[in-house]
Amino acid sequence: MTYSIAILGASGYTGAELIRLIAGHSSLKITALGAFSKAGQSVAQVFPHLRHLDLPTLLQIDQIDFANIDLCFCALPHKTSQSVIAALPPDLKVVDLSADFRLRDPDDYEKWYGNKHSALTQQAEAVYGLTEFYRDDIKTARLVAGTGCNAATGQYMLRPLIAAGVIDLDNIILDLKCAVSGAGRSLKENLLHAELSEGYHAYATGSTHRHLGEFDQEFSQIAGRPVQVQFTPHLIPANRGILGTGYLRGDAAQIHDTLSQAYANEPFVDVLPLGQTPSTRHVRGSNFCHIGVVADRQPDRALVVAALDNLTKGSSGQALQNANLMLNIEETEGLMMAPLFP
Amino acid sequence: MTYSIAILGASGYTGAELIRLIAGHSSLKITALGAFSKAGQSVAQVFPHLRHLDLPTLLQIDQIDFANIDLCFCALPHKTSQSVIAALPPDLKVVDLSADFRLRDPDDYEKWYGNKHSALTQQAEAVYGLTEFYRDDIKTARLVAGTGCNAATGQYMLRPLIAAGVIDLDNIILDLKCAVSGAGRSLKENLLHAELSEGYHAYATGSTHRHLGEFDQEFSQIAGRPVQVQFTPHLIPANRGILGTGYLRGDAAQIHDTLSQAYANEPFVDVLPLGQTPSTRHVRGSNFCHIGVVADRQPDRALVVAALDNLTKGSSGQALQNANLMLNIEETEGLMMAPLFP
Amino acid sequence: MTYSIAILGASGYTGAELIRLIAGHSSLKITALGAFSKAGQSVAQVFPHLRHLDLPTLLQIDQIDFANIDLCFCALPHKTSQSVIAALPPDLKVVDLSADFRLRDPDDYEKWYGNKHSALTQQAEAVYGLTEFYRDDIKTARLVAGTGCNAATGQYMLRPLIAAGVIDLDNIILDLKCAVSGAGRSLKENLLHAELSEGYHAYATGSTHRHLGEFDQEFSQIAGRPVQVQFTPHLIPANRGILGTGYLRGDAAQIHDTLSQAYANEPFVDVLPLGQTPSTRHVRGSNFCHIGVVADRQPDRALVVAALDNLTKGSSGQALQNANLMLNIEETEGLMMAPLFP
Amino acid sequence: MTYSIAILGASGYTGAELIRLIAGHSSLKITALGAFSKAGQSVAQVFPHLRHLDLPTLLQIDQIDFANIDLCFCALPHKTSQSVIAALPPDLKVVDLSADFRLRDPDDYEKWYGNKHSALTQQAEAVYGLTEFYRDDIKTARLVAGTGCNAATGQYMLRPLIAAGVIDLDNIILDLKCAVSGAGRSLKENLLHAELSEGYHAYATGSTHRHLGEFDQEFSQIAGRPVQVQFTPHLIPANRGILGTGYLRGDAAQIHDTLSQAYANEPFVDVLPLGQTPSTRHVRGSNFCHIGVVADRQPDRALVVAALDNLTKGSSGQALQNANLMLNIEETEGLMMAPLFP
């Protein structure tokens, strides 16, 4: 069986990544592509690397007929996404890649994103899209909210540890190193090649990054008490990848065991042998997440390091993994491609 | 049906690329991996990005039992390759990625590579592996010699033009810009990140690059007279890609027509609309070759620009395309993945 | 003696480079900085790498008092520059870095830049700023027009050869590889790190790049007849540098002799031994230009390769070199810093 | 007055950086350059970017006459350095850039470097070279031991805070992001461009990096009790720069005040306004260190971020700063060049 797919926001990087992945999928077919300023253009004009594919021209979203669409990916900016999704047919399956439906409490949304949520009905039904931890809910969901790419990285590192009670909840530090495609295709001076390459820096310092809303929500729910991590992202001169370095209090061997067991049957999350740590270059372009654990020289202190590709496992790959579940397709379909190295 | 595959030289970049591609192929299975200094290691140790695959440990080549191998890829350095291939079972299908069997005249080999050829029997039966131009011979070949990556780029630009007689054969200039993975995984000072990044330079200047042996052989054969191109490669701070810029004498529209017709039915070679030129970033990680033609402001002068990924279309992708033909599998199987961008 | 300097257009890359160079100059002092949208900001805000310097706040240009300024650098976009310079005090020494005063014939200007020139009086008095070839005129000039960075590169390669009559004037091909800072600090999608890094491409193909206006003007004047070069620039994923590869008809040894003699006493232009070619990484951040010559395997064909830093020798370093001459300061003052490598 | 300078280990990156800096110094003259495998070569052969300088040919160290040398920089690998320095004239002023004389306790040296120290006499007289904190001792020192580049970064962040007692000594986490030139010019697979670029990873995990010996020694001495930091370096795809991110317990305003006062009169260490953080791109090629402080959302937790250039302030710039003090030259001489951006 072939399912008919729409992608809204097809001219951004996560849109392009969805097209790339779906092109290698055995039972999905893209029948509509939506965009704003680039509507009317062909995919070959917007993304010459996809010129070999037979794809529809980009349309304004209101030009799209959703009657025969089986599932819609929405890769739009937050705030835009909620109003677009509220206007879609109410029974259309949707995987949203924006931040609009990640936070269950509308006050949290307003606190972190600065505007009132305008699609509360949809927000109430949305399922948080971290596949490995919400798999059963996702299978029956109508609307799935893709996680933040940083938020995914940190949660792969920490969720099993918080659940198992093997780390000190008041001493969690997450230092993330993020590649530039995570900032999207927006025209900002600090994203220019001449500005960014050859240098690196911290941003959203002081634990002000919006993905903290997701950490707070999820970690506190797991722990059954408020948990606040200290989190600093850094912008690195590379195009793809997030490397998360977690400084934790706990026994490294116990941490390693806990993570190994948690992900033992997961096709995409791979825990390295104790003492080894991952590199972003080894997951590039793939849906894999590699996690390593190392004991510090000081007792009861441990390092957890995770690597994933922000555009794949961190957003579009995750979105496709969720769509597979929602359409009752094999979860790994279209997602087993090996990383690109070198 | 599933064919059993061996890869010799599995610890280099073209070996890793073969593994990546075959991992996505529906009817090939890797049953043996050969190496020298890294024999005894697992693929996960040598290439952590391939750790999710279930693959055999690397062996010394003489430890491999070739009895049940259907086809062997040989991704070894030139000179080593000829002695290894001479010792393989004489009826084993082989795709060689080295330079050892590209030149039909042993004197040409000695001239360009500096040593006498030691496997003349095998050399005599080898078919030159530029798929689009040797397809019928490759289908029935026992031994196929993969082309040089620069040589492939230049030939995609020029072969149809020489055959059609639409360019001046005495005024062909090829200026190539090559990414660093083409130099392989060898430990040389000028390939260090600190040396290479942020700068670029010409090398093998004065038309001394070994791939000229292939140009001379092929272009002269097509033309029925000696043809010598002027060719300068440049090393660019990027990992994958070759961009060829050809300065030609001829009518741009006629050149464009000739190339368009030549590649009209080719699945991997794509001629852009007249006036457009390609970028290496739009073929990265794929088996596609994009070609563009532009008229110069001066009459009868034209620019032809081609882009391909040196590790894919330039070597391992080409090798797999040829293996598909040799095993009577669909030629495009395992090779239609979209480029990785950004 | 200390001269008082103004820089207009201080918030762009060539403006920043001027500040960097003047900070190490013994007898220049920056007393005014002009900008448009960033007026009102401090240099530390606009360019944090210059925060250690004691510099005036950026002003709107009409807020600047030019009464006590000895020399003004104008690093503004073309078209803007001509109207700003026309409004400056008529006896103020000016070094312009834009394209506005490079072409002596107003029709040429209109042809290449698409608008009528609005400052014909100033254009008539402007001296072309390629220091090594216009040194005497620059010493007494009121207004010097800095050359294009690509135009400088090509002229260093070719001027002495055209003057000496040692190359075929109808067979000159220039293939340039340009780093991204040459495009300035403008917000364009194709200049984003995620778009540009890891790939490269030709642009302004078909000999349509505006710097051809300078080549045509200068080469034709030297030759005493029309000379048209075929010129293709390529955008390379690096921040600084231009590598020019010239394909010429002529005797390599004679070409090497001619260049060696032409630059024998030049402090910044260095001809390498015959057979060696330069790299952009070896001139990075410096005012040097390295030139190499290699004989092709075919007789009477030669390769000339030049490397310079587009922001230094290609624009701001050249501008300072000219300012030194105009102020009767030692020509090399402030410009002898060694390149930054690695 | 002009002092005569020797550099041993002139063919490595810190050697090249010393040459670059001394070339712009008003009163130092390089009269001898020592190397091992590259002895006999000219500087232009080993470092073409320095070809414009009039410098002596590289010699074997035992070929150098030290009689007229006023000061010797020793930029050799550790272990080699101690035997070379032990054999130098005992009254020759030496600035060592290796790790050999950084640790005062020979047992510490053996613990971190794995071999017994063979130059205990020299070790006993060596002064630790972190200029801002050992200035008076350096002025009269015969032998100064340059610090590790990571060790310098961490100490600029932490020394004043430990001395002032404004942070919790048992909760210090240092996450460093290091550019690749810090690994030197050694031929290792993981330093190749094709391996390193486009990816990043942690190394020396579990607080096993050798620079911890310096942290332990210095921080414990300042605190008057043992202090152990948790420290993870990461290798970033850039050539120059260290960004240190420190996660501390303490009041951010008090931390900022303490650092601001400590460095108020320092020419090279610059504390940014509270809430701002630095970037490596803004200190590139310079001797500056920028430090920023940010309060976390959780009370009593703070972030301190520092940026410096590992080859300049982290090693060769520091070495020259110390040499200036030892020779009674203005401390900033030859070191005030602005960073190179972009």
Side-chain angles (χ1 to χ4, degrees):
Chain A
M1 175 158 184
T2 298
Y3 296 94
S4 181
I5 300 295
I7 300 172
L8 309 184
S11 62
Y13 294 147
T14 53
E17 185 75 347
L18 281 167
I19 298 174
R20 176 177 83 93
L21 296 174
I22 293 173
H25 194 289
S26 62
S27 51
L28 301 186
K29 181 175 167 58
I30 295 171
T31 52
L33 294 170
F36 291 98
S37 63
K38 293 185 179 164
Q41 296 188 34
S42 68
V43 168
Q45 286 173 290
V46 177
F47 288 118
H49 71 292
L50 301 173
R51 62 175 291 117
H52 63 290
L53 298 172
D54 181 23
L55 290 169
T57 297
L58 276 63
L59 296 178
Q60 293 290 345
I61 292 169
D62 58 13
Q63 296 176 298
I64 296 175
D65 176 7
F66 289 96
N68 296 309
I69 303 292
D70 294 300
L71 186 142
C72 177
F73 292 99
C74 195
L76 296 164
H78 70 89
K79 202 172 169 186
T80 302
S81 193
Q82 59 190 253
S83 60
V84 166
I85 287 176
L88 292 177
D91 57 346
L92 177 62
K93 288 181 198 293
V94 174
V95 178
D96 184 39
L97 284 79
S98 86
D100 273 353
F101 300 98
R102 295 171 185 165
L103 300 180
R104 282 182 284 272
D105 182 340
D107 290 342
D108 279 351
Y109 178 81
E110 187 173 350
K111 170 184 158 195
W112 286 104
Y113 292 92
N115 57 285
K116 280 214 178 298
H117 205 291
S118 69
L120 295 178
T121 308
Q122 288 75 22
Q123 193 196 27
E125 64 172 322
V127 172
Y128 191 65
L130 199 69
T131 322
E132 289 77 3
F133 299 95
Y134 285 88
R135 190 173 272 126
D136 289 340
D137 292 338
I138 291 166
K139 283 178 184 169
T140 60
R142 205 277 300 180
L143 169 59
V144 170
T147 72
C149 52
N150 296 325
T153 310
Q155 289 182 70
Y156 285 126
M157 298 161 71
L158 296 176
R159 289 186 75 114
L161 307 178
I162 296 172
V166 297
I167 57 171
D168 179 353
L169 298 180
D170 297 321
N171 274 291
I172 300 174
I173 287 171
L174 280 178
D175 188 284
L176 260 62
K177 294 88 178 167
C178 309
V180 67
S181 65
R185 212 177 192 182
S186 49
L187 297 178
K188 294 179 187 161
E189 208 168 70
N190 71 325
L191 301 181
L192 293 173
H193 187 281
E195 307 274 325
L196 184 71
S197 78
E198 305 176 25
Y200 38 101
H201 63 277
Y203 66 98
T205 52
S207 296
T208 60
H209 193 284
R210 286 163 164 178
H211 290 182
L212 277 165
E214 292 172 69
F215 286 143
D216 290 358
Q217 167 180 287
E218 297 296 310
F219 295 156
S220 300
Q221 177 176 291
I222 298 168
R225 50 152 278 198
V227 175
Q228 286 200 317
V229 301
Q230 191 172 353
F231 163 46
T232 313
H234 299 75
L235 195 57
I236 302 295
N239 281 349
R240 285 172 177 251
I242 298 178
L243 190 79
T245 309
Y247 295 90
L248 306 176
R249 296 289 176 91
D251 178 71
Q254 194 177 17
I255 287 171
H256 185 261
D257 282 349
T258 304
L259 290 171
S260 298
Q261 288 171 30
Y263 297 120
N265 297 313
E266 288 298 341
F268 295 118
V269 186
D270 196 353
V271 180
L272 308 183
L274 182 62
Q276 292 185 18
T277 51
S279 167
T280 60
R281 64 179 61 77
H282 297 138
V283 293
R284 185 180 171 78
S286 83
N287 205 48
F288 297 106
C289 174
H290 290 179
I291 305 181
V293 180
V294 184
D296 190 66
R297 60 173 178 165
Q298 295 183 83
D300 202 42
R301 305 202 185 196
L303 194 73
V304 175
V305 185
L308 55 74
D309 183 319
N310 57 299
L311 285 181
T312 318
K313 188 60 176 158
S315 54
S316 300
Q318 181 200 72
L320 179 55
Q321 194 176 347
N322 290 335
N324 282 339
L325 290 173
M326 295 163 78
L327 294 169
N328 200 25
I329 301 170
E330 180 69 34
E331 184 178 329
T332 58
E333 175 56 32
L335 290 168
M336 291 303 292
M337 64 282 170
L340 192 73
F341 173 86
Chain B
M1 175 159 182
T2 297
Y3 295 94
S4 181
I5 300 295
I7 300 172
L8 309 184
S11 61
Y13 294 147
T14 54
E17 185 75 348
L18 281 168
I19 298 174
R20 176 177 84 92
L21 296 173
I22 293 174
H25 194 289
S26 62
S27 50
L28 302 186
K29 180 175 166 59
I30 295 171
T31 52
L33 294 170
F36 291 99
S37 63
K38 292 185 179 165
Q41 297 188 33
S42 69
V43 168
Q45 287 173 289
V46 177
F47 286 118
H49 71 291
L50 300 173
R51 60 175 293 116
H52 63 290
L53 298 171
D54 181 24
L55 290 170
T57 297
L58 275 64
L59 296 178
Q60 294 289 346
I61 292 170
D62 57 13
Q63 295 176 299
I64 296 176
D65 175 9
F66 289 96
N68 297 309
I69 302 292
D70 293 302
L71 186 142
C72 177
F73 292 100
C74 195
L76 296 165
H78 71 89
K79 201 172 170 187
T80 301
S81 195
Q82 58 190 254
S83 60
V84 166
I85 287 176
L88 291 177
D91 56 347
L92 177 62
K93 288 181 197 294
V94 174
V95 178
D96 184 39
L97 285 79
S98 85
D100 274 352
F101 300 97
R102 296 170 185 165
L103 300 180
R104 282 183 283 273
D105 182 339
D107 291 343
D108 279 351
Y109 177 81
E110 187 174 350
K111 171 184 158 196
W112 286 104
Y113 292 91
N115 57 287
K116 279 214 176 300
H117 205 291
S118 68
L120 294 176
T121 308
Q122 289 75 23
Q123 193 196 28
E125 65 173 319
V127 172
Y128 190 65
L130 198 70
T131 322
E132 290 76 5
F133 299 95
Y134 285 88
R135 191 173 271 128
D136 290 340
D137 293 337
I138 291 166
K139 282 178 184 169
T140 58
R142 205 277 301 179
L143 169 60
V144 169
T147 72
C149 53
N150 297 324
T153 309
Q155 289 182 69
Y156 285 126
M157 297 161 72
L158 295 176
R159 288 186 75 114
L161 306 179
I162 295 172
V166 298
I167 57 171
D168 179 352
L169 298 180
D170 297 320
N171 275 291
I172 300 175
I173 287 171
L174 280 178
D175 187 284
L176 260 63
K177 294 86 177 167
C178 309
V180 67
S181 64
R185 211 177 192 183
S186 49
L187 296 178
K188 294 180 188 160
E189 208 168 68
N190 72 325
L191 301 180
L192 293 173
H193 187 280
E195 308 274 326
L196 184 70
S197 79
E198 305 174 27
Y200 37 101
H201 62 277
Y203 67 98
T205 51
S207 296
T208 60
H209 193 285
R210 287 164 163 176
H211 291 181
L212 277 165
E214 293 172 66
F215 287 143
D216 290 358
Q217 167 181 287
E218 298 295 310
F219 295 156
S220 299
Q221 178 176 291
I222 299 167
R225 49 152 278 198
V227 175
Q228 285 199 315
V229 300
Q230 190 172 357
F231 163 45
T232 313
H234 299 75
L235 194 58
I236 302 295
N239 282 348
R240 284 172 177 252
I242 298 177
L243 190 79
T245 309
Y247 295 90
L248 306 176
R249 295 289 176 91
D251 178 70
Q254 195 178 17
I255 287 171
H256 186 260
D257 282 349
T258 304
L259 290 171
S260 298
Q261 287 170 30
Y263 298 119
N265 297 313
E266 288 297 340
F268 296 117
V269 186
D270 197 351
V271 180
L272 309 183
L274 183 61
Q276 293 183 19
T277 51
S279 166
T280 60
R281 64 180 60 78
H282 296 138
V283 294
R284 183 180 173 78
S286 83
N287 205 49
F288 297 106
C289 174
H290 291 179
I291 305 181
V293 180
V294 184
D296 190 66
R297 59 173 178 166
Q298 295 184 82
D300 201 42
R301 304 202 184 195
L303 193 73
V304 175
V305 184
L308 54 75
D309 183 319
N310 57 300
L311 285 181
T312 317
K313 189 60 175 160
S315 52
S316 299
Q318 180 199 73
L320 179 56
Q321 195 177 346
N322 290 336
N324 283 339
L325 290 173
M326 294 163 79
L327 294 170
N328 201 26
I329 300 170
E330 180 68 33
E331 184 178 331
T332 59
E333 173 56 32
L335 290 168
M336 291 303 291
M337 65 281 169
L340 192 73
F341 173 86
Chain C
M1 174 158 186
T2 298
Y3 295 94
S4 182
I5 301 295
I7 300 172
L8 310 184
S11 62
Y13 294 146
T14 53
E17 185 75 348
L18 281 166
I19 298 174
R20 175 177 84 93
L21 296 174
I22 294 174
H25 193 288
S26 63
S27 50
L28 302 186
K29 182 176 166 59
I30 295 171
T31 52
L33 295 169
F36 291 97
S37 63
K38 293 185 179 165
Q41 297 187 34
S42 68
V43 168
Q45 287 174 288
V46 177
F47 287 119
H49 71 291
L50 300 172
R51 60 174 293 118
H52 63 289
L53 298 171
D54 181 24
L55 290 169
T57 295
L58 275 63
L59 296 178
Q60 293 288 347
I61 292 169
D62 58 13
Q63 296 176 298
I64 296 175
D65 176 9
F66 289 95
N68 297 309
I69 302 291
D70 294 301
L71 185 141
C72 177
F73 291 100
C74 195
L76 295 166
H78 70 88
K79 200 172 171 186
T80 301
S81 194
Q82 60 191 256
S83 61
V84 166
I85 288 176
L88 291 176
D91 56 346
L92 177 62
K93 289 182 197 292
V94 174
V95 178
D96 185 39
L97 284 79
S98 85
D100 273 353
F101 299 98
R102 295 170 185 166
L103 300 180
R104 283 183 282 274
D105 182 339
D107 291 342
D108 280 350
Y109 177 81
E110 188 174 349
K111 170 185 158 195
W112 287 103
Y113 292 90
N115 57 286
K116 281 213 175 300
H117 206 292
S118 68
L120 294 177
T121 309
Q122 288 75 22
Q123 193 198 27
E125 66 173 321
V127 171
Y128 191 64
L130 198 71
T131 322
E132 289 76 4
F133 299 95
Y134 285 88
R135 190 173 270 126
D136 289 339
D137 292 337
I138 292 167
K139 282 179 184 168
T140 59
R142 204 278 300 179
L143 169 61
V144 170
T147 72
C149 52
N150 296 325
T153 310
Q155 288 181 71
Y156 286 126
M157 297 160 71
L158 296 176
R159 290 186 74 115
L161 306 179
I162 296 172
V166 297
I167 57 171
D168 178 353
L169 298 180
D170 297 321
N171 274 292
I172 299 174
I173 287 171
L174 279 178
D175 188 284
L176 261 63
K177 293 88 178 166
C178 309
V180 67
S181 64
R185 212 178 192 182
S186 49
L187 296 178
K188 294 181 188 161
E189 207 168 71
N190 71 323
L191 302 181
L192 293 173
H193 187 281
E195 308 275 326
L196 184 71
S197 77
E198 307 175 22
Y200 38 102
H201 61 276
Y203 67 98
T205 52
S207 296
T208 59
H209 193 285
R210 286 163 163 178
H211 291 182
L212 277 166
E214 293 172 68
F215 286 143
D216 290 357
Q217 167 181 285
E218 297 295 311
F219 295 156
S220 300
Q221 177 176 289
I222 298 167
R225 49 152 277 198
V227 175
Q228 286 201 316
V229 301
Q230 190 172 354
F231 162 46
T232 313
H234 299 75
L235 194 56
I236 302 295
N239 281 350
R240 284 172 177 254
I242 298 177
L243 189 80
T245 309
Y247 295 89
L248 306 176
R249 296 289 177 91
D251 178 72
Q254 194 177 19
I255 287 172
H256 186 260
D257 282 350
T258 304
L259 290 170
S260 297
Q261 287 170 30
Y263 298 120
N265 297 314
E266 288 298 340
F268 295 118
V269 186
D270 196 353
V271 180
L272 309 183
L274 181 61
Q276 292 183 17
T277 51
S279 167
T280 60
R281 64 179 61 78
H282 296 138
V283 294
R284 183 178 172 81
S286 84
N287 204 47
F288 297 106
C289 174
H290 291 178
I291 305 181
V293 180
V294 184
D296 190 64
R297 60 173 177 165
Q298 296 182 80
D300 201 43
R301 305 204 183 194
L303 193 73
V304 176
V305 185
L308 55 73
D309 183 321
N310 57 299
L311 285 180
T312 317
K313 188 59 173 161
S315 53
S316 300
Q318 181 199 74
L320 178 56
Q321 195 177 346
N322 290 335
N324 282 339
L325 291 173
M326 294 162 79
L327 294 170
N328 201 23
I329 301 170
E330 178 70 34
E331 185 178 328
T332 59
E333 174 56 31
L335 290 168
M336 291 303 290
M337 64 283 169
L340 191 72
F341 174 86
Chain D
M1 173 157 183
T2 297
Y3 296 94
S4 180
I5 300 295
I7 300 173
L8 310 185
S11 62
Y13 293 146
T14 53
E17 185 75 348
L18 281 167
I19 297 174
R20 176 177 83 93
L21 296 174
I22 293 173
H25 193 289
S26 63
S27 51
L28 302 186
K29 182 177 166 56
I30 295 171
T31 52
L33 294 170
F36 290 98
S37 63
K38 293 185 179 166
Q41 297 188 33
S42 69
V43 168
Q45 286 173 287
V46 177
F47 287 119
H49 71 291
L50 300 172
R51 62 173 293 119
H52 63 288
L53 298 171
D54 182 23
L55 290 168
T57 296
L58 275 63
L59 297 177
Q60 293 289 345
I61 292 169
D62 57 13
Q63 296 176 299
I64 297 175
D65 176 9
F66 289 96
N68 297 310
I69 303 292
D70 292 301
L71 185 141
C72 176
F73 291 100
C74 194
L76 295 166
H78 71 88
K79 201 171 168 184
T80 301
S81 195
Q82 59 191 257
S83 60
V84 166
I85 287 177
L88 292 176
D91 56 345
L92 177 62
K93 289 183 198 291
V94 175
V95 178
D96 184 39
L97 285 79
S98 85
D100 274 353
F101 300 99
R102 294 169 186 168
L103 300 181
R104 284 183 282 272
D105 182 338
D107 290 342
D108 279 351
Y109 177 80
E110 188 174 347
K111 170 186 158 194
W112 287 103
Y113 292 90
N115 57 286
K116 281 211 176 300
H117 205 292
S118 68
L120 295 176
T121 309
Q122 289 75 22
Q123 193 198 28
E125 66 173 320
V127 172
Y128 191 65
L130 199 70
T131 322
E132 289 77 4
F133 299 95
Y134 285 88
R135 189 174 270 126
D136 289 340
D137 292 337
I138 292 166
K139 283 179 184 168
T140 59
R142 203 278 300 179
L143 169 60
V144 170
T147 72
C149 52
N150 296 324
T153 309
Q155 289 182 70
Y156 285 126
M157 297 161 71
L158 295 176
R159 288 186 74 114
L161 306 179
I162 296 172
V166 299
I167 57 170
D168 178 353
L169 298 181
D170 297 321
N171 274 290
I172 300 174
I173 287 171
L174 280 178
D175 187 285
L176 261 64
K177 293 87 178 168
C178 309
V180 67
S181 64
R185 213 177 191 182
S186 49
L187 295 178
K188 294 180 187 160
E189 207 168 72
N190 72 322
L191 301 180
L192 293 173
H193 187 281
E195 307 274 327
L196 184 70
S197 78
E198 306 175 25
Y200 38 102
H201 62 277
Y203 66 98
T205 51
S207 296
T208 59
H209 193 285
R210 285 162 164 178
H211 291 182
L212 278 165
E214 293 172 68
F215 286 143
D216 290 357
Q217 167 181 287
E218 297 296 310
F219 295 156
S220 299
Q221 178 176 289
I222 299 168
R225 49 152 278 197
V227 175
Q228 287 201 315
V229 300
Q230 191 172 353
F231 162 46
T232 313
H234 299 75
L235 194 58
I236 302 295
N239 281 349
R240 285 172 178 253
I242 298 177
L243 190 79
T245 309
Y247 294 90
L248 306 176
R249 295 290 176 90
D251 178 70
Q254 195 177 16
I255 287 171
H256 186 260
D257 282 350
T258 304
L259 290 170
S260 298
Q261 287 170 32
Y263 298 120
N265 297 314
E266 288 298 339
F268 296 117
V269 186
D270 196 351
V271 180
L272 308 183
L274 182 61
Q276 293 184 17
T277 51
S279 167
T280 60
R281 64 180 60 77
H282 296 138
V283 294
R284 183 180 172 80
S286 84
N287 205 47
F288 296 107
C289 174
H290 290 178
I291 305 181
V293 180
V294 184
D296 190 65
R297 59 172 178 166
Q298 296 183 82
D300 201 42
R301 306 203 183 194
L303 194 73
V304 175
V305 184
L308 55 73
D309 183 321
N310 57 298
L311 285 181
T312 318
K313 189 58 174 160
S315 53
S316 300
Q318 180 199 73
L320 179 56
Q321 195 177 345
N322 290 334
N324 283 339
L325 290 174
M326 294 164 79
L327 295 169
N328 201 23
I329 301 169
E330 179 69 35
E331 184 178 330
T332 59
E333 174 57 31
L335 290 167
M336 292 303 290
M337 64 283 168
L340 191 73
F341 173 87

